[in-house]
Amino acid sequence: MKDVLRGCLLMLFINVLQGQELRVEVVDAQGALPYANVWLEELEKGAPTGNDGVAVLTGIPKGRLTLVVSFTGYTTYRKRVRIGEGQNVVQVMMQPMESLDEVVVSGTLRPVSRMETPVPVEVYQPTFFKKNPSANIFDALQMVNGVRPQVNCNVCNTGDIHINGLEGPYTLVLIDGMPLVGGLASVYGLSGIPNSLVDRIEIVKGPASSIYGSQAVGGLINVITKDAELVNTLSFDSFYSDWGEWNVDLGFKTGVGKVADVLTGVNYFNYDTPVDNNGDNFTDLTLQHRVSVFQKWNFKRASGKAFDLAGRFFYEDRWGGEMQWTPEFRGGTEVYGESIYTRRFEVMGNYELPFAEPVMLNFSYTDHDQNSVYGDTPYLATQRNGFSQLTWNRDLGMHGMLVGTALRYTYYNDDTPATANDAGDAPDEVFIPGIFVQDEMTLNKKMKWLVGARLDYDKRHGTIFTPRTAFKWSVTDNDILRFNAGTGFRVVNLFTEDHASLTGARDVVITEDLQPERSWNVNLNYLKKIYTSKGHFIGLDLSTWYTRFSNVILPDYDTEPDKILYSNLDGYGVSAGMSINADVMLRSGWKLTAGASVMDVHNVEDGERFRPVLTERFTGTWGLSYSVPFWDLDIDYTGNVYGPMRLPLLSDLDPRSPESPWYSLQNIQFTYKGFKGIELYAGVKNLLNWTPDQDVPFLIARANDPFDKNVTFDNAGNALPTPDNPYALTFDPSYVYASNQGIRTFFGLRYDLN
């Protein structure tokens, strides 16, 4: 009996010495995550997970300890856990770093973790857009909550990007931080960027003029290309749809000895099958033939300082119009067509100067040549943009200082009265110099405060001052609160192409000397991360904003139906709203990304409040993904929903609805990954077969008489009702808010060689 008692006491003593056991099960959305690092901070003790994603730590004392799990490419998991008697099990769901902890530059021009920056920046990786593959970034952005690619013409399908309900001119689009897209390039600049070369897309909602100057009034989109040193040797992605669309993205890396790494990308897109499902004798989708070649050099300097140089050439031939149109009808009055030839090249780069201090020179130049005809109206235009920026970036104790100077050059000339005077041709040529300063202060471990200001000079408008401030409070490791306030401005830059492509029929009239638009904005953002005891993850991103505009440059579609009249609003404009984005990852393999935005965009003039055309009050997006490891299969169900928008009518007799209906575009895709380096994917776009011609008598006004040969006008130029034209309409394709392209299947192949 004494021997038994001694044995029990000995076992109890050994158990006390050995302590308890901790079993940590680490997974991601694909399943078990092997070789993750598991660490107990207070004990400085850890172990890697095995092939089953499990790490077992023994000899752990009872009590509360800090568990840290890390893995390259994932956000570090940190949580206090309670160690009890016997075996303890903790389930950990790892969150890919791309969603929450990316290094971003768009908010402050300084590379900083997304979790640390005081300015809210949304980051989207190529894997996000692969859930619903598209031929260009313009179309891909429809997956982003609060961002809507707006189709502005039923015939030529050109468009722009809306952020939080604001029109395209309020959105600044950058490529590698350079303002290459704007004016003539509203849609063309975003087409033909090979998706295989995109590292990520950063989006800032709200004014950013204190850093980027004009046009960053409503927000900015920064398309960041990959570093040539870090990409795969070869990447290939191609898909084909049963509408006849064929898209090819090719990227490959080469080296020039010890001098540089070179990244080359080619995009080819072709759609040449006219379709007229709505029976109006006009193409439902513009035909396009596009080639884009991109090359980026990352030079290897002995000093280790940065030197990157990139260039892109873009050519596109697009046309839409009557089904019987062929190139010999171009510019004539027999068959209506809108034909656009575009040639464009871009050069951009950055060079870190050989100083002890960190001084960076960024530069870009674009040359855009446009040869268009709208029916029998030619439109020939040239635009050249130059941009240079010199910045000094230094951490000084608690201060992160950024000081810079910038120079923007714009040249524009076309064959319209917009660039002519009594003496003849008068191209629009403007230099805008600017200086800016920013201080990002670390007040303590939990709080950061940013203050900044910019001063620009435009000879037409004088000095323009734009300050801003931002504050970040890390309430806990999983709760972050941000407050931003600032100003924005937009210098008048009404390139006629934007509005000629908007309608193909109306004349643009500027009724006064337009003054720069100004805006004041406040934005409150809350970011929440939730790790459940079952190993699930939930991320919430909530924002609310209020922006007030003065000198609003307002397009008037209503006063004269054959014209668009532009003037500064004698009043003010408002954009206000709330948005929420959610990321949910379950241990079972399900992943959900969803977002919704509710907004109120309106103008006030002479005490009357009215809503601009093509501004929605609600948008929602979602993406539901599930992986089946046993079959090497990924399933993605994506979609969006849009609320009603006010649409431009031509007269009081116009029988079309003054508002668009609620509508939703939904897609499904299946991706097979059973072959090394190869992905096969197929799916269906626009599952509901929704098109805007439903429940309206027609989309294009007077599609049967595109040259208005049978329209009767009064002495003031207004259309009169006749038996042949009972609604007193003229030809006009501006009643548009979404693509006419219906349901379609697609299949494709991706290949990556590391």
Side-chain angles (χ1 to χ4, degrees):
M1 184 66 182
K2 290 182 179 179
D3 291 339
V4 173
L5 182 59
R6 289 192 187 100
C8 292
L9 291 173
L10 178 62
M11 292 298 295
L12 179 62
F13 179 71
I14 293 174
N15 187 57
V16 170
L17 288 178
Q18 289 181 338
Q20 315 308 314
E21 180 180 287
L22 175 63
R23 176 185 174 91
V24 183
E25 301 173 355
V26 182
V27 299
D28 65 0
Q30 310 299 321
L33 188 64
Y35 312 118
N37 294 311
V38 177
W39 186 257
L40 290 173
E41 199 168 70
E42 291 83 358
L43 301 181
E44 295 188 352
K45 182 176 184 177
T49 58
N51 290 329
D52 57 356
V54 176
V56 178
L57 303 177
T58 59
I60 310 300
K62 295 180 183 179
R64 290 191 174 273
L65 298 172
T66 303
L67 173 66
V68 180
V69 182
S70 61
F71 191 84
T72 302
Y74 289 78
T75 301
T76 299
Y77 175 94
R78 181 186 298 272
K79 187 177 181 181
R80 296 280 288 177
V81 297
R82 183 181 180 277
I83 306 299
E85 191 76 38
Q87 186 185 72
N88 301 266
V89 179
V90 177
Q91 298 169 328
V92 176
M93 166 65 81
M94 296 295 284
Q95 173 73 5
M97 188 177 292
E98 66 183 57
S99 299
L100 291 174
D101 207 22
E102 281 274 71
V103 173
V104 296
V105 296
S106 298
T108 63
L109 278 183
R110 307 178 76 241
V112 62
S113 164
R114 183 191 169 203
M115 297 295 291
E116 294 300 321
T117 177
V119 179
V121 180
E122 296 180 16
V123 183
Y124 297 93
Q125 297 280 349
T127 53
F128 175 80
F129 298 108
K130 284 180 181 179
K131 300 176 187 296
N132 180 28
S134 62
N136 55 67
I137 294 175
F138 179 82
D139 291 332
L141 288 171
Q142 66 181 296
M143 295 181 62
V144 178
N145 178 34
V147 177
R148 184 170 64 85
Q150 169 61 46
V151 178
N152 286 333
C153 176
N154 260 314
V155 179
C156 62
N157 290 165
T158 52
D160 52 32
I161 302 294
H162 291 205
I163 292 182
N164 287 344
L166 296 175
E167 291 187 323
Y170 296 94
T171 300
L172 177 64
V173 181
L174 310 167
I175 300 178
D176 286 336
M178 295 291 99
L180 296 173
V181 181
L184 286 174
S186 57
V187 64
Y188 312 107
L190 284 174
S191 300
I193 300 176
N195 292 329
S196 59
L197 301 187
V198 176
D199 180 70
R200 65 187 186 275
I201 295 177
E202 299 180 2
I203 298 176
V204 177
K205 298 173 182 177
S209 294
S210 64
I211 290 294
Y212 294 98
S214 177
Q215 203 172 337
V217 184
L220 67 91
I221 299 170
N222 192 2
V223 180
I224 298 176
T225 60
K226 294 179 178 178
D227 188 319
E229 185 179 1
L230 304 177
V231 300
N232 292 332
T233 303
L234 175 68
S235 61
F236 174 84
D237 189 351
S238 179
F239 71 84
Y240 181 83
S241 81
D242 63 355
W243 270 57
E245 301 163 292
W246 183 35
N247 184 76
V248 179
D249 277 331
L250 175 66
F252 57 91
K253 177 178 71 174
T254 56
V256 183
K258 297 182 179 180
V259 177
D261 292 308
V262 183
L263 174 63
T264 303
V266 179
N267 172 257
Y268 175 81
F269 178 78
N270 187 39
Y271 168 65
D272 60 1
T273 306
V275 174
D276 178 27
N277 288 334
N278 60 19
D280 61 3
N281 194 41
F282 271 74
T283 52
D284 289 346
L285 183 66
T286 301
L287 282 74
Q288 302 170 50
H289 186 210
R290 180 171 65 241
V291 177
S292 176
V293 180
F294 177 93
Q295 192 167 81
K296 183 176 183 180
W297 291 58
N298 294 118
F299 292 93
K300 302 174 181 178
R301 299 169 63 186
S303 63
K305 292 183 178 292
F307 181 24
D308 300 331
L309 187 64
R312 182 172 75 122
F313 174 78
F314 173 93
Y315 171 79
E316 184 183 67
D317 174 3
R318 70 164 58 200
W319 76 268
E322 294 186 274
M323 292 290 289
Q324 61 271 33
W325 189 91
T326 55
E328 58 263 29
F329 295 111
R330 193 175 196 264
T333 59
E334 187 176 349
V335 179
Y336 187 90
E338 297 186 3
S339 171
I340 304 170
Y341 302 148
T342 303
R343 284 184 175 85
R344 172 182 176 86
F345 72 84
E346 306 162 349
V347 177
M348 56 189 152
N350 63 77
Y351 180 77
E352 191 173 358
L353 299 182
F355 301 152
E357 291 295 311
V359 180
M360 182 72 75
L361 173 67
N362 302 94
F363 54 89
S364 67
Y365 177 79
T366 65
D367 190 292
H368 188 108
D369 182 73
Q370 194 86 12
N371 182 328
S372 312
V373 291
Y374 299 88
D376 59 347
T377 303
Y379 177 77
L380 309 175
T382 300
Q383 178 185 340
R384 303 185 187 112
N385 287 333
F387 180 80
S388 65
Q389 180 173 269
L390 193 67
T391 55
W392 172 75
N393 187 348
R394 164 71 76 179
D395 288 327
L396 302 173
M398 62 176 286
H399 300 273
M401 296 298 302
L402 176 72
V403 179
T405 179
L407 178 64
R408 185 189 298 263
Y409 167 74
T410 300
Y411 171 92
Y412 175 75
N413 194 17
D414 65 21
D415 60 347
T416 75
T419 56
N421 56 28
D422 294 338
D425 198 29
D428 183 24
E429 192 170 16
V430 179
F431 288 89
I432 303 179
I435 58 173
F436 54 92
V437 62
Q438 175 182 277
D439 183 7
E440 186 175 340
M441 294 170 280
T442 302
L443 304 180
N444 53 48
K445 290 184 178 181
K446 292 183 176 293
M447 296 183 182
K448 285 190 175 184
W449 181 29
L450 180 146
V451 292
R454 182 181 180 111
L455 201 65
D456 289 273
Y457 177 76
D458 187 319
K459 65 180 181 180
R460 300 166 297 180
H461 308 297
T463 301
I464 303 172
F465 178 63
T466 48
R468 78 161 170 175
T469 187
F471 180 78
K472 180 186 80 79
W473 178 24
S474 298
V475 183
T476 70
D477 289 343
N478 296 324
D479 297 87
I480 295 177
L481 193 64
R482 293 181 174 97
F483 173 79
N484 281 249
T487 64
F489 75 96
R490 181 168 75 96
V491 173
V492 179
N493 215 6
L494 290 179
F495 294 126
T496 315
E497 164 69 10
D498 288 337
H499 314 300
S501 67
L502 180 67
T503 66
R506 300 193 187 198
D507 293 328
V508 175
V509 178
I510 301 174
T511 62
E512 61 184 6
D513 291 332
L514 298 177
Q515 298 301 309
E517 288 194 31
R518 303 299 300 265
S519 69
W520 287 88
N521 171 271
V522 292
N523 180 294
L524 185 64
N525 173 259
Y526 174 61
L527 185 66
K528 173 70 175 178
K529 296 185 294 183
I530 303 171
Y531 298 92
T532 74
S533 59
K534 299 296 185 180
H536 309 311
F537 170 81
I538 301 172
L540 298 175
D541 191 333
L542 297 92
S543 290
T544 182
W545 73 91
Y546 179 89
T547 308
R548 181 184 172 108
F549 298 90
S550 58
N551 291 337
V552 176
I553 301 171
L554 186 68
D556 178 1
Y557 296 86
D558 304 320
T559 302
E560 299 185 46
D562 61 339
K563 294 182 175 64
I564 307 175
L565 307 177
Y566 276 88
S567 63
N568 285 117
L569 181 70
D570 185 18
Y572 62 91
V574 170
S575 170
M578 300 178 64
S579 69
I580 180 171
N581 290 307
D583 291 308
V584 180
M585 297 180 64
L586 306 181
R587 286 196 63 202
S588 59
W590 289 95
K591 182 175 181 180
L592 171 68
T593 59
S597 295
V598 179
M599 61 203 86
D600 176 19
V601 180
H602 65 268
N603 296 322
V604 177
E605 186 172 30
D606 297 329
E608 294 189 14
R609 170 174 165 155
F610 58 95
R611 186 158 57 115
V613 298
L614 300 176
T615 57
E616 66 277 17
R617 288 177 172 157
F618 177 86
T619 66
T621 60
W622 69 85
L624 183 62
S625 303
Y626 182 69
S627 296
V628 188
F630 180 77
W631 293 344
D632 296 312
L633 183 68
D634 290 346
I635 305 172
D636 296 293
Y637 170 54
T638 59
N640 47 48
V641 59
Y642 298 111
M645 294 170 259
R646 191 168 77 86
L647 301 176
L649 299 181
L650 291 181
S651 73
D652 293 337
L653 300 176
D654 196 326
R656 296 172 294 183
S657 171
E659 281 198 338
S660 63
W662 285 84
Y663 70 97
S664 176
L665 302 175
Q666 301 178 24
N667 323 281
I668 192 167
Q669 176 184 250
F670 301 88
T671 305
Y672 179 72
K673 299 180 177 180
F675 304 110
K676 184 178 181 180
I678 296 177
E679 294 182 2
L680 301 175
Y681 59 94
V684 181
K685 287 178 177 284
N686 198 355
L687 280 165
L688 304 181
N689 197 26
W690 183 90
T691 52
D693 62 323
Q694 299 173 14
D695 300 322
V696 294
F698 51 84
L699 286 175
I700 300 176
R702 298 288 294 173
N704 63 323
D705 184 20
F707 295 100
D708 291 335
K709 295 179 180 179
N710 298 316
V711 177
T712 302
F713 297 93
D714 63 17
N715 293 332
N718 298 312
L720 296 173
T722 64
D724 179 62
N725 186 17
Y727 304 121
L729 305 178
T730 57
F731 172 73
D732 184 76
S734 65
Y735 187 91
V736 59
Y737 52 93
S739 172
N740 289 318
Q741 195 173 19
I743 189 172
R744 57 207 181 274
T745 59
F746 66 92
F747 61 90
L749 179 148
R750 298 187 187 99
Y751 173 71
D752 287 302
L753 176 64
N754 293 322

